Amino acid sequence: MISVSLRDRLRLPLVAAPMLTVSGPDVVAAACSAGVIGAFPTANCRSVDELDDWLGLLDGKLDAAHAPIAANLIVHRSNRRLEADLEVLVRRRCELVITSVGSPAGVVDDLHGAGTTVWSDVATIRHAERAIEAGADGLILLTAGAGGQTGAMNPFAFVREVRRRYAGTVVLAGGIGDGASLAAARVLGADLGYAGTRFLATRESLAAPEYKAMVTAATSGDIVLTDAVTGLPASFLRATLPEGDAESAGFDVATTLAGANGGRRSRWQDAWSAGHVTGVVDDVPTVAELVDRLALEYAAAGGPA
Ligand SMILES: Cc1cc2nc3c(=O)[nH]c(=O)nc-3n(C[C@H](O)[C@H](O)[C@H](O)COP(=O)(O)O)c2cc1C
């Protein structure tokens, strides 16, 4: 369930999902102006001060009627900037925070105190139970074939199982590349869809032109799931994976990001992440063009209002 006030601010029940090294202020502002929630990982900011600047910049760029901005906070213990980023989000009373890679238990109280809505991404039913216990206001269900870190759950089974026990906001992540898949997610019982790879291939995203070209040329057969890059299972374009690098050393934010924000290339920059949905992504429109098209397709597929 989402509130009527949130529904009224959205043209489509959709989140332009946060993507490491890909989502910057331009794609977020374009998404929010077009009527879908625009999200970015706080880790994409080089420093805590830059996070503060981005939030200020976005506030200035957007008019009062825009769809919400969501900041994505990696809550894994290896995130050394967690407390400092949290302090900025609380001080700026960020409307929506999405936690990932761990339970939101350690941040929910501070965020709720600032009036922030907290959604937590989860890849298993156990993760979902822990996030509900911690007081999350919404769950983002990461399903098989989603871009970035993901899980192995079947989306049909996962949404229906969660819906049996949870009346809060449910967001489905993985495989949403057109309006028909978004309509299907709503019919299934999700309140919103969460699309990453589709927004990676937009003009405003920070992905390199060669990366966007590879996503538009690829099929789902070019995507592999491996924990060898970040220590957690994540989806990558096979051609960008280092050969023979098969051993997982465990997840660590610093190792994943090393070099990402200045100078040396990082593991995340060398291996390019994308989901199964690459098979239906074959162009690089502006975000506004994409949202217009998704809205037409959503209506044609009978997507619920
Ligand atoms: C390049 C890339 C980077 C991502 N980085 C993040 C991230 O930093 N934080 C996060 O919570 N999810 C991240 N994700 C996952 C997305 O937020 C979202 O769950 C996923 O893209 C949905 O599946 P889809 O790609 O099939 O649309 C990333 C996905 C991609 C493709």
Side-chain angles (χ1 to χ4, degrees), residues 10-174:
L10 299 180
R11 180 170 176 205
L12 274 178
L14 185 63
V15 182
M19 290 177 279
L20 210 51
T21 70
V22 169
S23 321
D26 288 347
V27 78
V28 173
C32 296
S33 304
V36 304
I37 297 171
F40 70 96
T42 65
N44 280 0
C45 306
R46 275 185 296 257
S47 63
V48 182
D49 289 341
E50 191 171 68
L51 172 60
D52 204 28
D53 291 345
W54 278 25
L55 290 168
L57 183 80
L58 284 166
D59 270 349
K61 267 189 175 200
L62 294 165
D63 62 30
H66 68 79
I69 297 165
N72 165 228
L73 198 54
I74 298 175
V75 291
H76 191 263
R77 61 185 174 282
S78 66
N79 183 3
R80 288 189 214 106
R81 245 177 55 195
L82 176 58
E83 272 188 33
D85 283 0
L86 178 64
E87 187 276 322
V88 173
L89 299 175
V90 166
R91 176 163 43 78
R92 285 208 168 256
R93 300 190 172 276
C94 187
E95 184 172 358
L96 177 59
V97 166
I98 294 166
T99 63
S100 57
V101 203
S103 161
V107 300
V108 162
D109 287 349
D110 285 349
L111 290 168
H112 279 170
T116 300
T117 298
V118 182
W119 294 347
S120 172
D121 75 14
V122 298
T124 64
I125 204 72
R126 180 69 198 121
H127 292 165
E129 286 163 355
R130 282 173 58 202
I132 294 166
E133 273 163 32
D137 308 295
L139 301 177
I140 295 162
L141 311 188
L142 304 175
T143 65
Q149 327 275 10
T150 189
M153 281 297 289
N154 176 289
F156 287 93
F158 204 10
V159 171
R160 297 315 301 160
E161 186 175 0
V162 167
R163 262 296 170 238
R164 281 183 168 213
R165 57 178 91 182
Y166 184 61
T169 301
V170 171
V171 187
L172 176 59

